[in-house]
Amino acid sequence: MGSDRLLQTVGTAAAHASLNVPVAGVDDTVGEVLARMRGPRYVEAGIVAVCTGRKPTGVVTIESLLAADDSARMSSLMDADFPVVAGQQDQERALWKALHHDESALVVVDAAGNFQGVIPPHRLLAVLLEEHDEDVARLSGYLKSAAGARTASTESVGRRLWHRLPWLMVGLLGAMVSAGLMDAFQAQLERQVLVAFFIPGIVYLADAVGTQTEAVVIRGLSVGIGVERIVTREIMTGLTIGVLIALMSYPVTLLMWHQSQVSAAVSLSLFAACSVAVIVAMALPWAMSKFGVDPAFGSGPLATVVQDLLSILVYLTVSTALVG
């Protein structure tokens, strides 16, 4: 059962290996091997795996086998310097190992070095095409396949609307909610009109920081780099950007409007909004990719709505607390 589970592991070398191949011992003669090969139908008969016990020690090509004398031993014909891959090795790495050794098939072993089968040429070719398709898709900014990229690029107007309009409706709903937030803080805005002047700037800067992070995350996902590998650096970058923007905004706003409380509220809000925007921009593409949704369609509009609402809420809350 263990080997069966190994052979079913998707995306690994073992997933493409087959045990339905000719196998011989080192002391077997050519005549004995050829006699056993007559009759059975093999998935791959281009090479014979030569084993000592359960461990592969070499391979013999069918060309060498047919050209040899019947009395010749397999040990004298086998290539002992043959490419071997572990069953759990990634299929792409296994493919390149076969290509670099100029071999048409590849022997697969388990963790103990026991023979687990051979990846035949047609499976190596299938993996090559699959990986090429995936690489093209990644370069195009899509996560699944080049076929998906082509479909999204050439789909009908109706399908385009279906993919995009729902997210924009979410954006419209967010605009209504933001208007409600502004209304909830109407008294504060009327008491200090200057507070309202900075809302577009705070929202824009938070969006800009979030968009930069989102681009980094989506690019990373598209080339197989998980969010967990960039989360620490991005959070530190977001916090640093927030601190620097806050430090720069305070003296500028104070010099121009001479309102220290408003300047403090703007600076603190910029720091908080930029920091939160980084987290939102990382979380949404990651969540969408986990649920099988292409982040290229929805993470931008959704992240913008969430970031805008949070930025407005943070700023109006801070300004209410600090500005009399």
Side-chain angles (χ1 to χ4, degrees):
M1 286 297 293
S3 62
D4 289 341
R5 285 196 298 270
L6 178 66
L7 292 174
Q8 294 172 4
T9 305
V10 177
T12 63
H16 304 280
S18 174
L19 286 167
N20 187 20
V21 295
V23 180
V26 290
D27 293 325
D28 289 347
T29 65
V30 170
E32 292 170 340
V33 174
L34 289 175
R36 289 200 302 267
M37 289 179 64
R38 294 188 181 98
R41 296 183 64 87
Y42 296 106
V43 170
E44 167 57 25
I47 66 169
V48 177
V50 182
C51 298
T52 302
R54 296 183 58 193
K55 299 188 183 299
T57 52
V59 294
V60 178
T61 65
I62 190 66
E63 293 86 357
S64 298
L65 197 67
L66 294 174
D69 188 82
D70 283 351
S71 61
R73 302 282 180 182
M74 298 299 286
S75 57
S76 65
L77 299 177
M78 70 180 189
D79 175 12
D81 184 26
F82 61 103
V84 179
V85 294
Q88 291 300 323
Q89 188 168 19
D90 180 79
Q91 62 182 22
E92 187 173 13
R93 292 181 178 273
L95 168 68
W96 284 113
K97 191 163 188 177
L99 293 177
H100 290 162
H101 280 77
D102 196 25
E103 294 285 351
S104 61
L106 198 59
V107 174
V108 179
V109 297
D110 63 14
N114 296 322
F115 181 68
Q116 287 290 311
V118 171
I119 303 178
H122 70 276
R123 289 306 307 157
L124 288 176
L125 180 59
V127 172
L128 178 63
L129 292 175
E130 178 184 336
E131 293 294 336
H132 173 71
D133 185 57
E134 185 177 317
D135 290 343
V136 170
R138 286 172 172 173
L139 289 173
S140 304
Y142 292 81
L143 299 183
K144 293 184 179 179
S145 68
R150 287 190 292 269
T151 299
S153 300
T154 60
E155 63 188 2
S156 66
V157 173
R159 293 294 297 173
R160 289 170 191 261
L161 290 175
W162 174 255
H163 281 139
R164 301 181 190 181
L165 198 56
W167 301 110
L168 297 177
M169 292 299 99
V170 173
L172 179 60
L173 177 62
M176 299 301 103
V177 175
S178 65
L181 284 175
M182 299 285 287
D183 183 61
F185 288 90
Q186 181 179 359
Q188 168 65 14
L189 294 174
E190 289 178 349
R191 189 164 57 251
Q192 179 54 273
V193 179
L194 182 60
V195 169
F197 294 174
F198 296 99
I199 292 176
I202 291 173
V203 169
Y204 164 76
L205 284 170
D207 279 346
V209 171
T211 299
Q212 290 176 334
T213 296
E214 191 178 337
V216 171
V217 172
I218 292 179
R219 283 180 179 177
L221 289 171
S222 71
V223 294
I225 299 176
V227 174
E228 64 277 1
R229 292 179 57 185
I230 62 176
V231 60
T232 302
R233 292 188 182 94
E234 274 302 308
I235 288 178
M236 293 302 298
T237 301
L239 290 173
T240 304
I241 289 175
V243 168
L244 292 175
I245 290 178
L247 290 176
M248 288 186 288
S249 67
Y250 183 83
V252 173
T253 54
L254 183 62
L255 181 64
M256 295 182 66
W257 286 279
H258 309 291
Q259 294 283 340
S260 60
Q261 293 176 326
V262 174
S263 296
V266 170
S267 297
L268 288 174
S269 299
L270 281 171
F271 168 72
C274 291
S275 302
V276 170
V278 170
I279 296 174
V280 172
M282 283 192 295
L284 287 178
W286 173 81
M288 287 185 168
S289 67
K290 286 295 182 183
F291 285 102
V293 179
D294 193 337
F297 281 122
S299 60
L302 187 56
T304 299
V305 171
V306 174
Q307 289 164 6
D308 289 355
L309 291 176
L310 290 176
S311 298
I312 293 172
L313 181 61
V314 166
Y315 176 54
L316 293 179
T317 301
V318 171
S319 62
T320 298
L322 295 182
V323 180

